[in-house]
């Protein structure tokens, strides 16, 4: 069937997944904000308020955790998809932030922000179980954000979860909370000696929250598919990063959802043939927060310099992020599992004072050079990174918006990364603000 003639020029643009190519905090928030100008809808598909996406517009900072960054532009709609685990209180706190910032999306009457009726709800017992498990003797500490993300996904897969549609049904809500509290209190007390939560109080609180959330709730799969069929385009906003993916990441040091491109399909109800491209966001170096392997971590003065210049502290928990050098085997792996077509390289300016930049081009495992990514933590522990040392540009790049104005050595660094990673570099970010960005002509053409 041919498309209707009323389809606007903007509508010809492809839908795209934009995701973190590393262990999260790559600067997705900033890039989603910049690119949302070209999209009608931005939809979150996985994770929850464990994410922290920072956007800086004319010096004003806003951190969004659950709400897609696209809503910062009043003409862009925001969708929280079914793949997200939804904390009602966290959502309302963010809605309040939008109101204080004078953004219309806070008001359901604006019809700009929507929550899937099929998203799973995070309840206080999820946080209780997670906190107890993370601190229990003999348990593997993951270094989670302690937002109840893992236990909420456990209940989902166990077919024992509460969905947003059920939150709005008071009799179902009461029964669910009574039964779940009984079960979770018993388990948490038996295993961890935790004090029980009060189901009556919980029901009253969540019934109140449900009333405030109800006007935002809809069948977002229908909304998204109708929009795409009408010629609109959607950006699927990833949270976390490919290496934190429950299947493909550095298990068990991962989050509990599908943060890779495949998650955009299951997490929104839009099929893969409707998604035109995949854009991976990578820092010019690497950071990681929480536990888990990190072959190129630099604990020396250069790692400290990256942390200081990059202000590497978690946007959600304030924890310091570990810093290290670009890991091309992992970036190639990330590009492979996501079919990443375009890369966005952020935080180039952070490396302005590095006289030498080591880039990991391969691994040595048991003395043999290999490009294979180990599936297990034992394998990861054996990795000796093989580095190519590149000369640093030692000149300021902050705020540069034209590729030709970048120092020659910075251009060489980017060209090396592009060649070795197997994806085209479409954008480069040289500072946290919306305007500190440059777009390559082929990428601009693709976006239309
Ligand atoms: P996200 O989770 O991927 O959205 O990333 P976060 O917001 O958690 O962390 C990225 C941090 O880097 C934020 O503080 C951003 O403001 C900042 N940032 C993003 N791009 C750049 C850049 O190009 N240069 C610098 N210096 N900071 C950046
Ligand atoms: P954004 O979207 C960085 C990490 C946690 C922990 C692991 C599991 O801002 O990039 P969880 O609470 O999800 O069960 O924790 O995953 N983690 C992140 N690290 N950025 C994030 O999100 C993260 N979300 C979770 O630190 O190691
Ligand atoms: Mg973050």
């Amino acid at each position: 069937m041919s498309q209707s003639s009323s389809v606007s020029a903007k509508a010809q643009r492809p839908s795209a997944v934009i995701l973190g190519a590393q262990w999260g905090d790559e600067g997705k928030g900033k890039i989603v904000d910049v690119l949302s100008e070209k999209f009608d809808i931005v939809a979150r598909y996985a994770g929850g308020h464990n994410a922290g996406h920072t956007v800086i517009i004319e010096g004003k900072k806003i951190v969004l955790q659950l709400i897609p960054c696209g809503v910062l532009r009043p003409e862009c709609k925001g969708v929280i998809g079914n793949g997200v685990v939804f904390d009602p209180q966290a959502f309302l706190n963010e809605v309040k932030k939008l109101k204080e910032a004078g953004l219309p999306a806070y008001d359901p009457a604006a019809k700009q922000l929507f929550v899937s009726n099929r998203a799973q709800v995070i309840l206080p017992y999820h946080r209780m179980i997670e906190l107890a498990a993370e601190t229990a003797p003999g348990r593997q500490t993951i270094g989670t954000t302690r937002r109840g993300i893992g236990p909420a996904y456990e209940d989902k897969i166990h077919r024992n979860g509460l969905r947003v549609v059920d939150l709005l049904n008071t009799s179902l809500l009461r029964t669910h909370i009574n039964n779940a509290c009984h079960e979770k209190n018993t388990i948490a007390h038996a295993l961890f000696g935790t004090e029980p939560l009060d189901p009556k109080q919980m029901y009253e609180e969540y019934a109140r929250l449900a009333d405030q959330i109800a006007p935002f709730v809809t069948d977002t799969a229908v909304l998204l598919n109708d929009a795409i069929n009408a010629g609109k385009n959607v950006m699927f906003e990833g949270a976390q990063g490919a290496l934190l993916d429950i299947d493909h990441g550095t298990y068990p040091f991962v989050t509990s959802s599908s943060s890779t491109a495949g998650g955009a399909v299951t997490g929104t109800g839009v099929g893969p043939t409707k998604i035109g491209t995949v854009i991976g966001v990578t820092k010019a170096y690497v950071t990681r927060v929480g536990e888990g392997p990190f072959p190129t971590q630099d604990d020396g003065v250069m790692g400290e310099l990256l942390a200081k210049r990059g202000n590497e502290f978690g946007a959600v928990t304030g924890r310091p992020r570990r810093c290290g050098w670009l890991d091309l085997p992992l970036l190639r792996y990330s590009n492979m599992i996501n079919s990443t077509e375009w890369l966005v390289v952020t935080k180039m300016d952070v490396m302005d004072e590095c006289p030498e930049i080591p880039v990991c081009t391969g691994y040595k495992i048991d003395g043999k050079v290999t490009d294979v990514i180990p599936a297990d933590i034992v394998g990861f522990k054996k990795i000796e990174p093989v580095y190519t040392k590149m000369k640093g540009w030692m000149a300021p790049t902050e705020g540069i918006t034209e590729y030709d104005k970048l120092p020659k050595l910075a251009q060489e660094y980017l060209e090396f990364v592009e060649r070795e990673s197997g994806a085209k570099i479409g954008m480069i970010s040289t500072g946290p603000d919306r305007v500190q960005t440059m777009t390559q002509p082929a990428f601009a053409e693709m976006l239309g």
Side-chain angles (χ1 to χ4, degrees):
M1 219 166 51
S2 65
Q3 281 197 327
S4 93
S5 55
S6 63
V7 170
S8 67
K10 184 174 176 177
Q12 309 296 330
R13 294 170 180 151
S15 289
V17 179
I18 179 150
L19 49 77
Q22 303 169 323
W23 282 291
D25 301 327
E26 298 88 349
K28 298 176 292 295
K30 167 185 163 161
I31 301 304
V32 169
D33 170 61
V34 172
L35 292 179
S36 59
E37 195 187 4
K38 307 269 186 187
F39 289 82
D40 298 293
I41 306 179
V42 175
R44 264 286 297 273
Y45 60 85
H49 66 312
N50 49 349
H53 298 170
T54 315
V55 179
I56 300 180
I57 306 168
E58 290 170 6
K60 273 204 215 131
K61 172 167 153 176
I62 181 157
V63 179
L64 294 176
Q65 294 187 247
L66 258 178
I67 294 180
C69 295
V71 303
L72 301 179
R73 296 182 196 265
E75 63 284 4
C76 186
K77 290 192 190 332
V79 164
I80 296 180
N82 57 276
V84 169
V85 280
F86 180 81
D87 183 310
Q89 188 60 65
F91 173 75
L92 291 171
N93 293 345
E94 257 176 72
V95 165
K96 189 161 161 252
K97 260 203 239 177
L98 295 180
K99 186 174 182 188
E100 284 162 2
L103 295 160
Y106 83 89
D107 182 359
K111 298 236 166 287
Q112 199 196 338
L113 178 59
F114 302 91
V115 176
S116 167
N117 52 1
R118 290 177 172 82
Q120 295 278 329
V121 180
I122 301 182
L123 286 142
Y125 47 75
H126 293 130
R127 283 189 295 277
M128 168 180 80
I129 299 261
E130 178 173 356
L131 185 64
E134 274 280 275
T135 50
R139 287 282 296 239
Q140 174 74 68
T141 303
I142 306 293
T144 71
T145 58
R146 301 189 173 183
R147 299 295 191 270
I149 306 291
Y153 278 116
E154 271 178 52
D155 274 357
K156 170 179 177 172
I157 302 301
H158 199 213
R159 294 153 298 179
N160 200 24
L162 181 87
R163 300 196 294 174
V164 168
V165 66
D166 311 321
L167 177 73
L168 305 186
N169 175 334
T170 40
S171 75
L172 208 147
L173 178 65
R174 191 195 298 271
T175 311
H176 186 95
I177 286 183
N178 276 337
N179 292 341
C181 268
H182 173 68
E183 183 184 310
K184 310 289 180 191
N185 281 339
T186 310
I187 293 171
H189 185 73
L191 289 180
F192 313 114
T194 312
E195 287 301 310
L197 294 169
D198 176 9
K200 185 167 175 290
Q201 202 185 331
M202 198 184 297
Y203 166 72
E204 282 162 9
E205 185 187 344
Y206 280 75
R208 239 189 347 265
L209 294 173
D211 283 343
Q212 296 172 65
I213 277 144
F216 293 98
V217 177
T218 190
D219 186 327
T220 51
V222 172
L223 184 151
L224 290 168
N225 281 285
D226 281 355
I228 292 171
N229 292 341
K232 310 256 187 236
N233 69 348
V234 178
M235 181 179 355
F236 299 88
E237 177 184 344
Q240 289 79 54
L243 305 175
L244 287 172
D245 181 274
I246 185 72
D247 288 286
H248 303 288
T250 45
Y251 193 90
F253 301 99
V254 292
T255 191
S256 298
S257 64
S258 298
S259 45
T260 41
V265 172
T266 54
T268 61
V270 175
T273 56
K274 289 188 176 161
I275 300 175
T277 190
V278 178
I279 304 165
V281 184
T282 174
K283 277 179 185 162
Y285 50 98
V286 181
T287 63
R288 177 162 203 174
V289 62
E291 304 299 315
F294 181 174
T296 60
Q297 182 168 341
D298 186 330
D299 291 321
V301 285
M302 291 315 289
E304 258 174 54
L305 181 76
L306 294 176
K308 189 159 163 269
R309 285 188 54 88
N311 192 24
E312 296 297 357
F313 293 92
V316 176
T317 58
R319 291 178 293 174
R321 297 172 182 149
R322 296 185 268 153
C323 295
W325 305 107
L326 197 63
D327 185 329
L328 288 168
L330 279 180
L331 186 58
R332 285 193 280 267
Y333 195 76
S334 165
N335 290 346
M336 178 189 76
I337 57 178
N338 290 301
S339 300
T340 303
E341 189 182 4
W342 297 96
L343 276 180
V344 176
V345 180
T346 61
K347 303 195 101 162
M348 275 299 278
D349 54 299
V350 172
M351 299 210 298
D352 287 352
E353 289 175 6
C354 298
E356 185 176 69
I357 303 174
V359 185
C360 172
T361 48
Y363 292 158
K364 243 189 201 174
I365 297 179
D366 293 331
K368 284 198 199 101
V369 177
T370 172
D371 208 15
V372 170
I373 306 299
D376 60 337
I377 298 303
V378 178
F380 259 98
K381 284 190 180 146
K382 288 186 185 169
I383 290 174
E384 291 170 60
V386 178
Y387 288 109
T388 294
K389 297 213 167 121
M390 305 207 48
K391 211 162 168 244
W393 45 93
M394 297 296 281
T397 61
E398 191 181 353
I400 293 182
T401 55
E402 286 166 56
Y403 191 78
D404 291 345
K405 300 224 164 110
L406 282 174
K408 194 83 198 81
L409 289 169
Q411 293 182 13
E412 277 174 22
Y413 182 75
L414 289 164
E415 281 152 23
F416 183 72
V417 172
E418 183 170 73
R419 233 179 7 256
E420 293 281 320
S421 72
K424 297 169 274 189
I425 294 181
M427 279 174 88
I428 299 144
S429 170
T430 54
D433 199 281
R434 207 184 239 184
V435 294
Q436 295 171 311
T437 315
M438 68 192 87
T439 307
Q440 298 296 69
F443 188 66
E445 195 184 321
M446 183 274 297
L447 288 175

